Amino acid sequence: MTTSKRIAAGILAIGLGLTLASCDRTDERMERLSEIGDGVMRQLGGEDVGGPGNQARMENVPVEARAFQGEMQEASPVRVATAPSKFVVGSIVAKPRSMPEPDTVAEAFEGPSIADYDAYVESFESDAVIVVPTDEEIAELQSPSRTMSSDEPSRLDRAMKSRRTITIDPKSREQMAQGLPREVLKDTRTRMEYRMESPQVQIPERTDDSPIIQPAPPAASPIPIPQKSAERRLVMRQDAIGAQVSAESQMIETAQRYGLAANIQRSRSGQMVIEVGSRAMKPTKYGGPDDNVTPWIAEDDEAITCPSGMTPEEISEDAVLATVCVIQDLKASGEFEYVEKDWLYQNQFVRRPKNSGPVTNVAVTPNDPLWSLQWNFMNQGSGDGEIEGGSGFVDFWTKQASQGSPEVVVAIVDTGLEMDHPDIKDSPNVAPGWDMVTDIAMANDGNSRDSDPNDPGDQCPEEFVFEDTFHGTHVAGTVGASVSNNENGVAGGAWNVKIVPVRALGKCGGRLSDINDAIRWAGGLIPEYDELGNEIWNDNPADIINLSIGLFRFCPASMQDAINAVTERGVVVVAAAGNDSVSTQFYAPGGCDNVLSVAAGDARGQIAPYSNYGAEVDVLAPGGDLQRDDNGDGRPDGILSTKHASNCTDPVTNEAITDCYYAYEQGTSMAAPHVSAALALIKSKRPDLTGTALADVLLTALNPRSQEQCSGPCDQYPGAEPVSEGSETCKLPCGAGLLNLSDVNLDE
């Protein structure tokens, strides 16, 4: 669409938005249209952006508290997903078929009886790593000159931290205690072992010859265990570890068949990750042009199957083919519920080319200087301080007299958080998080998994990311990680809730296996480990988990398994629908079961041109459109939030600023955190609500969309259904309606 056509379309939209109930009020309509036109011209000239007093508010703060990145973009063809998915070469995610169902929360409250303790395993057993080295690595391990000094940990040791690591001789047939028919070459246990101790029973000292009366075992503690803490008592049973041991044997035999080294990561969640080939002994090796190791990622090709005419030795020379063959063989064994590639996920920004309580009469709004540019939180309507595509947060803050509660926790599984951001540093809203990125070079911070979820940047020209996105910071800022109402920068949707950053995406994306662990850790279901081997649990298990990530593929079984595990505990999972203008059923996690799938809307309350759509979408929320200015403020209708950016603008002087801390972005990544923030606000007022009950309250607060508001040109949406036979306009189902907190009903 040309610039002149966009301007004409904008004026037409303004005119339509001013249509009054009575058709004979022409003079009033024309007068109002003239007022708006004058306002637009003032705003385009940099005058009084956002209403009376706002210019003075901006002028009274330092430039770093108001400068932002973002300008109108030229229209470009809608990008439709056609590129194949990518996966991590040599990494496979699997789950044994015979894994027993985990204990229920009710059983966790009671805990195992004394007689049952032998049925459970110690934690360092459940999270062990089984390593199958090559002949050269065996020789190195057995060399008397080689020391295993803890001061010089191996790459594998650094990757796995202090989990128990068992290195075995694949040629041995000696039976291990765990059941693996291999000789142990090295067994590194956690430095601090966690044992399940039976309650101590005190026997009174005898003073005579009376018979000894053994007291009965003590009853379960009458002190109730908080439900979130009770999850930690869902320890692994012996029969579950037995299923994993059997699966490990199958994995080892399969790797041996192709002469491949392997490491197998065992988790109490039931998920197992096997890495084969060059990655097995160097699981944090990134690969690249200066490396003799096969590139670490590859594009998926469904046509590649394991050939019958090649020898195992020939297959092992091709890392991609070896990965396919190992997966095929493991599936054929019948041992596994699922076996799949370790898919590579991306954030859901719309990528740009390089260089490119009591009801009051006064609305509650924050004093942050850029608040007037955050149309996405405003009430829906066409009056002053309203916009058709808003989400009604102002009404909720005002009518419910609440901007959130620190008892409510939202976990952001994303690229991490800029901890030194001036609007986030020392924020009382940010709780301790975790870095789940396994690959050191993908992590881009010099180490593997650890307790630091800071985002060091994620430039990746191979994936068209030419500058650091700080994606997780933008998403978290929309929810409420930044300090709102502090006369600095922007406001979040839920000012006072607790944000737990869980870093699972780094340079060039994030591994499926890491994301699955991040979901479970965020929900309080599994621990991570510090350098000393201590179990580190999420002390703030999430009520809501935000997944502004995407993979152009049907929902992987292992991801669905992780989502099910947390939703069964009452967590609401919010997922971006995806940005490729296709049906959300082809996307994960937006197309997974048991998620609230969020499509993106523009400032008019219509589906954005890049947004995915379909029956899987639950709700439409503001995602922005940087090619439009439908609110007439002279700025693009993106979502303004926190992130470090370059090539910025001072809204007071309109001068160029080299660096700033706020930016406009667009995408279903931006839409999802609006829903997460809305859920957090609702739970702040109704802490009794969890899971589907909490989601149902939000789904009653939607403004239905017409077919016209959720449709688009058929030539831009291949596969979409025309609104009528022969029509060039296609249906783009965008959920039950547009998020509208003004209509939320919190009655019992």
Side-chain angles (χ1 to χ4, degrees), residues 191-269:
R191 297 183 179 89
M192 295 182 64
E193 296 183 359
Y194 290 83
R195 299 183 181 277
M196 186 182 301
E197 300 290 350
S198 301
Q200 298 297 312
V201 179
Q202 297 295 326
I203 307 295
E205 184 179 351
R206 292 181 64 193
T207 58
D208 52 31
D209 294 331
S210 59
I212 296 176
I213 301 176
Q214 296 283 3
S221 172
I223 301 174
I225 303 171
Q227 179 168 335
K228 292 180 178 180
S229 299
E231 304 298 346
R232 300 186 183 183
R233 298 179 64 172
L234 299 179
V235 293
M236 181 168 266
R237 298 177 59 91
Q238 288 283 4
D239 52 358
I241 200 73
Q244 288 193 330
V245 166
S246 176
E248 285 167 7
S249 294
Q250 185 64 51
M251 290 174 168
I252 291 170
E253 291 175 10
T254 303
Q256 274 193 283
R257 187 176 306 138
Y258 298 100
L260 299 170
N263 80 65
I264 303 162
Q265 300 163 32
R266 180 197 300 166
S267 168
R268 70 190 67 186
S269 69

Side-chain angles (χ1 to χ4, degrees), residues 614-638:
E616 291 73 23
V617 173
D618 295 292
V619 57
L620 186 70
D625 187 344
L626 293 172
Q627 298 174 4
R628 302 187 66 90
D629 178 21
D630 290 304
N631 63 350
D633 65 358
R635 311 291 180 187
D637 290 341

